[in-house]
Amino acid sequence: MTKPYAEVIGDPIAQSKSPLIHGFWIEELGIDAEYRAHRVVPEDLPAYFTSRRADPLWRGCNITLPHKQAALELIEDRGGVRDTIGAINLALRVEDGAVIGTNTDAGGFYAPISGLDLTGKPVVVIGAGGAARAVLFALARLGVGPVTILNRNVLKAAALLSSFGLKGNALPLGSAIPPAALLVNTSALGMVGQPSLEVDLTPLPDDSLVYDIVYAPLETSLLAAARDRDLDTVDGLDMLIGQAALAFELLFGAEPPRDRDDELRDLLTS
Protein backbone atom coordinates (compact mmCIF):
# COMPACT_ATOMS: atom_id res chain seq x y z
CA MET A 1 0.00 0.00 0.00
CA THR A 2 1.63 3.23 -1.17
CA LYS A 3 -1.16 5.74 -0.72
CA PRO A 4 -3.50 6.67 2.14
CA TYR A 5 -6.19 4.07 2.64
CA ALA A 6 -9.16 3.09 4.74
CA GLU A 7 -11.05 -0.16 4.92
CA VAL A 8 -14.02 -2.01 6.33
CA ILE A 9 -13.47 -4.89 8.74
CA GLY A 10 -15.78 -7.68 9.80
CA ASP A 11 -16.32 -11.43 9.74
CA PRO A 12 -17.67 -12.25 7.19
CA ILE A 13 -16.78 -9.30 4.98
CA ALA A 14 -17.25 -10.45 1.35
CA GLN A 15 -20.83 -9.14 1.34
CA SER A 16 -19.82 -5.59 2.28
CA LYS A 17 -20.72 -2.86 -0.19
CA SER A 18 -18.60 -0.26 1.61
CA PRO A 19 -15.67 -0.57 -0.86
CA LEU A 20 -18.04 0.18 -3.76
CA ILE A 21 -19.53 3.19 -1.97
CA HIS A 22 -16.28 4.76 -0.81
CA GLY A 23 -14.51 3.82 -4.05
CA PHE A 24 -17.25 5.58 -6.05
CA TRP A 25 -16.86 8.77 -4.02
CA ILE A 26 -13.04 8.63 -4.09
CA GLU A 27 -13.11 8.40 -7.88
CA GLU A 28 -15.74 11.10 -8.31
CA LEU A 29 -13.76 13.54 -6.14
CA GLY A 30 -10.35 12.57 -7.55
CA ILE A 31 -8.91 11.77 -4.12
CA ASP A 32 -5.57 9.96 -4.09
CA ALA A 33 -6.57 7.22 -1.69
CA GLU A 34 -7.87 3.66 -1.56
CA TYR A 35 -10.62 1.84 0.29
CA ARG A 36 -10.81 -1.92 0.69
CA ALA A 37 -12.45 -4.77 2.61
CA HIS A 38 -10.43 -6.75 5.13
CA ARG A 39 -11.68 -9.81 6.95
CA VAL A 40 -10.78 -9.83 10.64
CA VAL A 41 -11.86 -12.77 12.79
CA PRO A 42 -12.69 -11.94 16.43
CA GLU A 43 -9.51 -13.39 17.92
CA ASP A 44 -7.38 -11.26 15.56
CA LEU A 45 -9.04 -7.93 16.35
CA PRO A 46 -6.43 -6.73 18.91
CA ALA A 47 -3.58 -7.60 16.53
CA TYR A 48 -5.36 -5.79 13.70
CA PHE A 49 -5.45 -2.49 15.58
CA THR A 50 -1.85 -2.94 16.73
CA SER A 51 -0.68 -3.33 13.13
CA ARG A 52 -2.75 -0.45 11.79
CA ARG A 53 -1.53 1.96 14.47
CA ALA A 54 1.97 1.36 13.12
CA ASP A 55 0.95 2.18 9.53
CA PRO A 56 0.97 5.96 8.90
CA LEU A 57 -0.99 5.53 5.65
CA TRP A 58 -4.00 4.02 7.44
CA ARG A 59 -6.80 6.58 7.88
CA GLY A 60 -9.18 4.30 9.76
CA CYS A 61 -11.81 1.66 9.22
CA ASN A 62 -15.51 1.09 9.17
CA ILE A 63 -16.51 -1.71 11.52
CA THR A 64 -19.25 -4.24 10.91
CA LEU A 65 -20.42 -7.49 12.50
CA PRO A 66 -19.30 -8.87 14.88
CA HIS A 67 -16.84 -6.21 16.09
CA LYS A 68 -18.94 -3.12 16.90
CA GLN A 69 -18.74 -3.59 20.64
CA ALA A 70 -15.43 -5.43 20.98
CA ALA A 71 -13.55 -2.73 19.02
CA LEU A 72 -14.68 -0.11 21.52
CA GLU A 73 -12.44 -1.73 24.13
CA LEU A 74 -9.36 -1.53 21.91
CA ILE A 75 -9.26 2.16 20.93
CA GLU A 76 -9.79 5.56 22.57
CA ASP A 77 -13.32 6.67 23.38
CA ARG A 78 -12.94 10.44 23.40
CA GLY A 79 -16.57 11.07 22.46
CA GLY A 80 -18.09 9.01 25.26
CA VAL A 81 -19.62 6.46 22.89
CA ARG A 82 -19.32 3.74 25.53
CA ASP A 83 -21.74 5.57 27.81
CA THR A 84 -24.22 6.52 25.07
CA ILE A 85 -24.59 4.15 22.13
CA GLY A 86 -22.25 1.52 23.53
CA ALA A 87 -20.96 0.41 20.12
CA ILE A 88 -18.83 1.90 17.34
CA ASN A 89 -18.81 1.47 13.59
CA LEU A 90 -15.84 3.69 12.77
CA ALA A 91 -12.25 3.81 13.99
CA LEU A 92 -10.37 6.94 12.98
CA ARG A 93 -6.75 8.07 13.15
CA VAL A 94 -6.75 11.68 14.35
CA GLU A 95 -4.16 14.45 14.05
CA ASP A 96 -2.23 13.52 17.17
CA GLY A 97 -1.84 9.95 15.89
CA ALA A 98 -4.35 8.40 18.28
CA VAL A 99 -7.04 5.99 17.09
CA ILE A 100 -10.50 6.91 18.31
CA GLY A 101 -13.92 5.32 17.92
CA THR A 102 -17.20 6.89 16.91
CA ASN A 103 -20.57 5.83 15.54
CA THR A 104 -22.20 7.00 12.32
CA ASP A 105 -24.90 4.30 12.34
CA ALA A 106 -27.29 6.41 14.40
CA GLY A 107 -27.11 9.30 11.94
CA GLY A 108 -27.33 6.92 8.97
CA PHE A 109 -30.41 5.26 10.43
CA TYR A 110 -32.10 8.58 11.19
CA ALA A 111 -31.60 10.24 7.80
CA PRO A 112 -34.32 8.34 5.83
CA ILE A 113 -36.94 8.89 8.55
CA SER A 114 -36.02 12.45 9.53
CA GLY A 115 -39.30 13.76 8.12
CA LEU A 116 -41.49 11.50 10.25
CA ASP A 117 -43.08 12.49 13.53
CA LEU A 118 -42.66 9.43 15.75
CA THR A 119 -43.20 11.23 19.04
CA GLY A 120 -45.05 8.95 21.42
CA LYS A 121 -45.64 6.30 18.76
CA PRO A 122 -44.98 2.57 19.32
CA VAL A 123 -41.98 0.95 17.67
CA VAL A 124 -40.86 -2.66 17.21
CA VAL A 125 -37.13 -3.43 16.99
CA ILE A 126 -35.77 -6.85 16.06
CA GLY A 127 -32.32 -7.65 17.42
CA ALA A 128 -30.22 -6.35 20.31
CA GLY A 129 -26.68 -6.13 18.95
CA GLY A 130 -24.43 -3.23 18.04
CA ALA A 131 -26.70 -1.93 15.27
CA ALA A 132 -29.68 -2.06 17.61
CA ARG A 133 -27.82 0.18 20.03
CA ALA A 134 -27.41 2.87 17.38
CA VAL A 135 -31.06 2.57 16.35
CA LEU A 136 -32.32 2.75 19.95
CA PHE A 137 -30.06 5.75 20.60
CA ALA A 138 -31.73 7.58 17.69
CA LEU A 139 -35.23 6.45 18.67
CA ALA A 140 -34.77 7.65 22.24
CA ARG A 141 -33.92 11.10 20.94
CA LEU A 142 -36.97 11.07 18.70
CA GLY A 143 -39.17 10.59 21.77
CA VAL A 144 -40.89 7.46 20.49
CA GLY A 145 -43.55 5.70 22.53
CA PRO A 146 -43.21 2.17 23.88
CA VAL A 147 -40.53 0.07 22.19
CA THR A 148 -40.88 -3.68 21.85
CA ILE A 149 -37.62 -5.56 21.22
CA LEU A 150 -37.68 -9.09 19.85
CA ASN A 151 -34.46 -10.98 20.50
CA ARG A 152 -33.22 -14.48 21.27
CA ASN A 153 -31.82 -13.24 24.58
CA VAL A 154 -34.75 -11.48 26.25
CA LEU A 155 -32.73 -10.31 29.25
CA LYS A 156 -30.22 -8.58 26.95
CA ALA A 157 -33.07 -6.84 25.14
CA ALA A 158 -34.66 -5.70 28.39
CA ALA A 159 -31.32 -4.32 29.58
CA LEU A 160 -31.01 -2.33 26.34
CA LEU A 161 -34.39 -0.71 26.85
CA SER A 162 -33.37 0.31 30.34
CA SER A 163 -29.97 1.64 29.27
CA PHE A 164 -31.57 3.99 26.75
CA GLY A 165 -34.35 5.06 29.08
CA LEU A 166 -37.03 3.60 26.85
CA LYS A 167 -40.31 2.19 28.08
CA GLY A 168 -41.52 -0.98 26.47
CA ASN A 169 -41.19 -4.72 26.48
CA ALA A 170 -38.72 -7.45 25.53
CA LEU A 171 -40.03 -10.60 23.85
CA PRO A 172 -38.47 -13.78 22.49
CA LEU A 173 -37.65 -13.80 18.79
CA GLY A 174 -40.62 -15.21 16.91
CA SER A 175 -43.22 -13.70 19.22
CA ALA A 176 -46.23 -11.94 17.74
CA ILE A 177 -45.54 -8.26 17.23
CA PRO A 178 -47.80 -5.55 18.62
CA PRO A 179 -49.25 -2.75 16.45
CA ALA A 180 -46.55 -0.18 15.73
CA ALA A 181 -45.85 2.89 13.62
CA LEU A 182 -42.36 1.63 12.80
CA LEU A 183 -40.76 -1.80 12.66
CA VAL A 184 -36.97 -2.02 12.33
CA ASN A 185 -34.91 -5.13 11.73
CA THR A 186 -31.44 -4.51 13.19
CA SER A 187 -30.44 -8.19 13.22
CA ALA A 188 -28.49 -10.18 10.63
CA LEU A 189 -31.54 -12.37 9.96
CA GLY A 190 -32.39 -12.26 6.28
CA MET A 191 -28.79 -11.49 5.29
CA VAL A 192 -27.05 -13.70 2.74
CA GLY A 193 -25.85 -16.80 4.58
CA GLN A 194 -28.16 -16.22 7.55
CA PRO A 195 -31.59 -17.68 8.34
CA SER A 196 -34.52 -15.73 6.94
CA LEU A 197 -36.57 -13.45 9.15
CA GLU A 198 -40.19 -14.51 9.30
CA VAL A 199 -42.52 -11.95 10.88
CA ASP A 200 -46.29 -11.81 10.66
CA LEU A 201 -46.93 -8.16 9.83
CA THR A 202 -50.70 -8.44 10.18
CA PRO A 203 -50.81 -6.40 13.44
CA LEU A 204 -49.20 -3.37 11.77
CA PRO A 205 -51.55 -0.53 10.78
CA ASP A 206 -51.77 0.40 7.10
CA ASP A 207 -49.67 3.54 7.63
CA SER A 208 -46.77 1.73 9.32
CA LEU A 209 -43.20 1.88 8.05
CA VAL A 210 -41.00 -1.23 7.81
CA TYR A 211 -37.24 -0.58 7.86
CA ASP A 212 -34.71 -3.37 7.26
CA ILE A 213 -31.04 -2.47 7.72
CA VAL A 214 -29.95 -5.65 5.87
CA TYR A 215 -28.65 -4.77 2.40
CA ALA A 216 -27.44 -8.13 1.07
CA PRO A 217 -29.88 -9.04 -0.36
CA LEU A 218 -31.53 -5.68 -0.83
CA GLU A 219 -34.99 -7.22 -1.20
CA THR A 220 -35.32 -9.17 2.04
CA SER A 221 -38.24 -11.40 2.93
CA LEU A 222 -39.30 -8.79 5.50
CA LEU A 223 -39.44 -5.99 2.93
CA ALA A 224 -41.22 -8.25 0.44
CA ALA A 225 -43.86 -9.06 3.06
CA ALA A 226 -44.26 -5.35 3.84
CA ARG A 227 -44.70 -4.48 0.16
CA ASP A 228 -47.26 -7.24 -0.21
CA ARG A 229 -49.26 -5.27 2.35
CA ASP A 230 -48.55 -1.96 0.59
CA LEU A 231 -46.67 -0.68 3.63
CA ASP A 232 -44.00 1.99 3.24
CA THR A 233 -40.47 0.59 3.41
CA VAL A 234 -36.87 1.69 3.87
CA ASP A 235 -34.15 -0.67 2.64
CA GLY A 236 -30.66 -1.25 3.96
CA LEU A 237 -28.94 0.87 1.32
CA ASP A 238 -30.49 4.05 2.69
CA MET A 239 -28.88 3.55 6.09
CA LEU A 240 -25.67 2.17 4.59
CA ILE A 241 -25.13 5.16 2.30
CA GLY A 242 -26.12 7.60 5.04
CA GLN A 243 -23.68 6.26 7.62
CA ALA A 244 -20.99 5.87 4.95
CA ALA A 245 -21.32 9.54 3.97
CA LEU A 246 -20.66 10.63 7.55
CA ALA A 247 -17.71 8.24 7.79
CA PHE A 248 -16.25 9.30 4.43
CA GLU A 249 -15.99 12.93 5.49
CA LEU A 250 -14.18 11.93 8.68
CA LEU A 251 -11.84 9.52 6.89
CA PHE A 252 -10.95 11.60 3.84
CA GLY A 253 -11.76 15.18 4.86
CA ALA A 254 -14.16 15.74 1.97
CA GLU A 255 -17.93 15.78 1.66
CA PRO A 256 -19.16 12.99 -0.63
CA PRO A 257 -21.18 13.93 -3.75
CA ARG A 258 -24.65 13.00 -2.48
CA ASP A 259 -26.20 14.43 -5.64
CA ARG A 260 -24.92 11.23 -7.30
CA ASP A 261 -26.86 8.88 -4.99
CA ASP A 262 -29.05 7.56 -7.81
CA GLU A 263 -25.95 6.49 -9.76
CA LEU A 264 -24.49 4.99 -6.62
CA ARG A 265 -27.62 2.95 -5.90
CA ASP A 266 -27.58 1.68 -9.50
CA LEU A 267 -23.97 0.60 -9.02
CA LEU A 268 -24.75 -1.14 -5.75
CA THR A 269 -27.72 -3.03 -7.17
CA SER A 270 -26.25 -3.99 -10.57
Side-chain angles (χ1 to χ4, degrees):
M1 190 70 65
T2 59
K3 61 177 66 175
Y5 71 99
E7 55 199 346
V8 58
I9 64 169
D11 180 32
I13 200 60
Q15 82 288 347
S16 176
K17 295 185 182 293
S18 292
L20 283 174
I21 296 172
H22 290 270
F24 176 83
W25 289 334
I26 286 171
E27 183 176 352
E28 290 298 314
L29 296 176
I31 297 173
D32 185 27
E34 295 181 4
Y35 189 99
R36 65 190 187 189
H38 184 70
R39 183 183 176 219
V40 178
V41 298
E43 56 267 30
D44 291 345
L45 192 61
Y48 167 81
F49 281 112
T50 297
S51 67
R52 292 303 187 265
R53 281 189 183 92
D55 186 350
L57 293 176
W58 182 75
R59 295 285 188 87
C61 65
N62 288 106
I63 301 166
T64 189
L65 295 171
H67 303 316
K68 291 187 177 186
Q69 291 171 266
L72 186 53
E73 305 305 318
L74 300 171
I75 57 182
E76 292 190 36
D77 180 26
R78 295 184 180 179
V81 179
R82 181 179 289 103
D83 296 326
T84 53
I85 298 176
I88 59 174
N89 74 322
L90 179 65
L92 185 69
R93 186 194 297 280
V94 292
E95 290 184 358
D96 62 7
V99 177
I100 66 170
T102 189
N103 193 303
T104 64
D105 276 339
F109 164 75
Y110 171 72
I113 61 171
S114 59
L116 299 181
D117 180 9
L118 293 169
T119 306
K121 296 181 179 179
V123 175
V124 173
V125 174
I126 299 170
R133 288 178 171 273
V135 168
L136 291 169
F137 176 83
L139 291 175
R141 275 145 186 77
L142 289 172
V144 298
V147 176
T148 301
I149 302 181
L150 275 64
N151 193 54
R152 289 191 182 93
N153 187 328
V154 176
L155 291 178
K156 180 180 180 182
L160 271 187
L161 284 174
S162 177
S163 67
F164 288 101
L166 290 164
K167 295 181 179 180
N169 194 19
L171 300 174
L173 194 63
S175 299
I177 63 171
L182 170 68
L183 183 146
V184 187
N185 175 38
T186 72
S187 76
L189 294 174
M191 185 184 293
V192 172
Q194 299 290 331
S196 63
L197 175 60
E198 305 299 333
V199 180
D200 181 4
L201 302 180
T202 303
L204 295 183
D206 292 340
D207 59 352
S208 295
L209 174 68
V210 175
Y211 192 146
D212 196 340
I213 73 167
V214 170
Y215 57 84
L218 189 59
E219 179 72 359
T220 63
S221 59
L222 177 64
L223 292 182
R227 288 174 182 144
D228 284 345
R229 276 209 49 204
D230 292 324
L231 300 175
D232 288 335
T233 60
V234 176
D235 64 44
L237 282 189
D238 284 324
M239 178 172 172
L240 182 68
I241 293 172
Q243 66 81 22
L246 298 171
F248 184 88
E249 191 163 354
L250 292 170
L251 289 167
F252 298 108
E255 187 175 341
R258 296 301 303 276
D259 59 327
R260 309 293 292 276
D261 276 6
D262 287 344
E263 292 176 58
L264 180 55
R265 283 187 68 98
D266 288 343
L267 173 66
L268 294 172
T269 55
S270 63

